[in-house]
Amino acid sequence: MEKKDSLAKFYRWKGEVLIAGALLAFAFFINRGIEIRGLFMDDLELWSRYQDLPFWKFMFPAGEDSFRFLYYILAYVQMALLGNHITWFVPCNIIINGLIAYTVFRFGRCVAKNVIIGFLCGILYLISRMSCFQISQVWGLMESVSLWMAVGILYCLYQYLNETKTQRPYFQIACGLYFGVCFVNGRYMVLAVILLAALGMKVDKKLRNWLLPVALLALVLLIRFLAAGSLIPAGPEGTGIFGGTDWVKAAGRGLQQILYLLGINTGAQGMCGLNWQASPRWVRVFVITANLWILVLTIVFLVKFFCDWIHWKSTLCNLCLFLLFIAACIVSNSVTEQIQLRQVYVSMTGFFIMLAYMCGVAARSKAKILPDYHSMLVCTAVIILYSALMFPVENFYRKMYPNLNFWNGQHQANSLAEQTYEKYGNSLFGKKIYILENSYGLTEENAKTFFRTFSRGQKAESVEVIFADSIRDFGLIRNNMVILREEPKFHVYQDITSFVKDLKCDAVYGYYPDEWMGETAKIRVMAGETGNIQLQLMYPGAMTGEEISSIYQDGVLVREIQIEENITYVDLQTEPYNIVELDFENNFYSKNAYESSEGTRLAMMVRITAD
């Protein structure tokens, strides 16, 4: 008997591991193509604070009223672990999201008593278009952790409402999670409502349980007031909460979030990617059909509910718990001035779990409209059909991420990293980076911080970023220069160093990248603003006095230079920004100096400057 129990436990955990692995693999699959190669905006500012401030000042930044020290502890640990490996942030975010999906699976399976429905809850969570910020930004850790804790609160309260014989401290754990989530994301202070509601629905007569959430809320407000000088946190991107709120507009934003839950994008495209009116017809048909299946499930649930009066109280309390959770999250977002996808993710997750619960009630009800087995098959089929319809819809909307306000900025940062550090490696440090036009609005301070993220120590201080209007603003290209141009249509940078180098100094033959010149050479040089071209002739050997270098400018002999010193300077004049052709004929060569690939005898080194 003991051996049989051990085998059952082994197979149960084997199934858990397989499901967790499948969800994690799907998380990586669905988020393929999302990457962080360089930091920008809030992520860059956060990294700069991590790098420059001591731990306590990083945790409690001066002048910030969004008091979230617990998140800053987690962010500090994450940055310390990942270090300068910027590309590791996305895999880290995906792993965290995969673990949350497994939590959602466990919760969905618990309320539905069905593995398939629980698994689909995890899949629906991962495929949701709401995950854009959590995966693609370093700050996404805040949203992920706060969502995880909020779902944990809901799970503990569900268990608290439905526990009978066992007296596990679910309510106390929920209160602990509530206290923590308030210092990760202040938006979830509103969840105190569901703590009190759960006590009321449980008819809990223990005074200490009633005092606990009230005391925690008071303590949260007191800590916030003492530390940040305000009771209520600011909304996303500094938008206000409560102060001057137009409650009619707030109600509209609440309705907007309800439509989000039903798959209908509303609002500006910069906030949702693509709104309902601009969506293709097939998307709208799929969404409407999926909502019809939700309606079918709701009708079945209500029929079972009204036919099963024995369990009506517990069913109603559980349903109210889910609805209050979703409503509280919606209200907390509605008083801000803008609704972003990431704000709706928690209520969306609660919505998926509520659907699973409705399936569980419809299948397990004592009202024998259908046998339990058949009822569960019907409910499972409904969730499968809903998932099958929403999968292509969510996948389509994920392809609209480039329309989001922050997406192009991240794409530009990724491209800047690709064209600089990823291309040149540590040799980038010590170079001058010229960015033409700078229509993306990169500042020198942000640029300096951007390159610091790739280096340990002070190596990035040697990178100089210079903004130029055109290639005329600088002279010939040296080995310590990188030239970038913007491609606004695709929000990328292009490394045009080689192109500009050839344009400004094109070695037709006989002149090599290390500045050595053969016995004969032809070079095309672009003059600068003054039209003056300076040549520095460097002959490394002993001179006989008969070394002569003849220089032809556009086919005309302009100089015959007798090499009398190891370094000789020559000035040539032409029209500003004119491209001239220079031919060199040298009657000498340096002994033991040969161009390795051609075997040509080399005469001297020539450094060309054009101002």
Side-chain angles (χ1 to χ4, degrees), residues 355-404:
L355 292 181
Y357 173 74
M358 292 168 65
C359 288
V361 170
R364 297 195 308 272
S365 172
K366 298 301 181 182
K368 298 295 184 179
I369 298 174
L370 285 174
D372 289 353
Y373 178 75
H374 292 166
S375 296
M376 182 56 77
L377 282 180
V378 171
C379 292
T380 305
V382 168
I383 294 298
I384 290 174
L385 288 171
Y386 172 79
S387 303
L389 288 166
M390 290 306 297
F391 189 97
V393 171
E394 296 286 5
N395 198 41
F396 169 79
Y397 280 130
R398 291 172 72 91
K399 294 177 181 178
M400 298 297 110
Y401 282 169
N403 293 334
L404 297 173

Side-chain angles (χ1 to χ4, degrees), residues 22-59:
L23 289 172
L24 185 60
F26 183 76
F28 275 96
F29 170 76
I30 200 62
N31 291 298
R32 68 194 185 282
I34 297 179
E35 54 188 4
I36 300 176
R37 298 170 119 177
L39 305 184
F40 92 114
M41 281 182 57
D42 293 341
D43 288 352
L44 192 62
E45 191 270 339
L46 182 69
W47 187 93
S48 178
R49 282 172 36 203
Y50 160 76
Q51 191 72 14
D52 298 335
L53 298 178
F55 177 70
W56 290 106
K57 288 188 176 180
F58 177 82
M59 273 207 320

Side-chain angles (χ1 to χ4, degrees), residues 160-369:
Y160 165 73
L161 281 180
N162 293 277
E163 66 179 350
T164 52
K165 296 180 181 179
T166 60
Q167 293 295 322
R168 296 180 182 177
Y170 286 115
F171 185 76
Q172 288 74 19
I173 295 173
C175 288
L177 288 172
Y178 170 75
F179 184 76
V181 78
C182 289
F183 298 110
V184 175
N185 192 331
R187 195 163 70 230
Y188 298 105
M189 288 168 59
V190 71
L191 293 182
V193 173
I194 69 168
L195 293 172
L196 296 172
L199 289 170
M201 290 185 288
K202 183 77 170 179
V203 194
D204 196 318
K205 297 180 180 179
K206 296 177 181 178
L207 181 60
R208 63 176 181 271
N209 284 346
W210 284 92
L211 292 176
L212 182 57
V214 175
L216 286 177
L217 178 59
L219 182 59
V220 167
L221 293 173
L222 177 62
I223 293 174
R224 280 195 49 81
F225 181 76
L226 294 176
S230 65
L231 296 176
I232 306 298
E237 300 179 2
T239 57
I241 294 183
F242 292 120
T245 298
D246 185 329
W247 294 104
V248 174
K249 291 183 179 179
R253 287 189 286 270
L255 177 60
Q256 182 182 354
Q257 293 176 76
I258 294 173
L259 293 175
Y260 271 125
L261 301 186
L262 299 176
I264 300 172
N265 278 357
T266 55
Q269 292 197 160
M271 294 295 164
C272 66
L274 188 70
N275 59 39
W276 178 255
Q277 291 78 9
S279 299
R281 180 177 296 178
W282 72 266
V283 168
R284 287 181 280 179
V285 170
F286 274 39
V287 169
I288 292 171
T289 307
N291 288 328
L292 288 177
W293 284 114
I294 291 179
L295 180 61
V296 169
L297 177 61
T298 303
I299 292 172
V300 173
F301 169 81
L302 291 175
V303 169
K304 292 277 189 159
F305 171 72
F306 286 113
C307 292
D308 185 12
W309 286 102
I310 298 176
H311 300 94
W312 73 269
K313 184 178 178 181
S314 63
T315 301
L316 182 61
C317 288
N318 289 328
L319 182 63
C320 287
L321 178 68
F322 289 118
L323 290 175
L324 278 173
F325 176 81
I326 295 170
C329 294
I330 288 176
V331 168
S332 70
N333 298 326
S334 298
V335 293
T336 61
E337 296 178 6
Q338 297 174 336
I339 299 299
Q340 303 177 32
L341 288 180
R342 61 190 173 104
Q343 297 172 269
V344 191
Y345 209 4
V346 180
S347 49
M348 175 69 85
T349 305
F351 178 69
F352 293 147
I353 297 171
M354 186 180 72
L355 292 181
Y357 173 74
M358 292 168 65
C359 288
V361 170
R364 297 195 308 272
S365 172
K366 298 301 181 182
K368 298 295 184 179
I369 298 174

Side-chain angles (χ1 to χ4, degrees), residues 103-117:
T103 303
V104 173
F105 153 73
R106 292 290 301 263
F107 198 173
R109 185 184 64 181
C110 172
V111 298
K113 296 294 187 290
N114 184 284
V115 174
I116 296 176
I117 293 177

Side-chain angles (χ1 to χ4, degrees), residues 410-423:
Q410 183 62 65
H411 197 55
Q412 292 160 11
N414 290 345
S415 178
L416 182 58
E418 179 185 13
Q419 295 298 314
T420 53
Y421 181 73
E422 292 183 15
K423 186 172 183 178

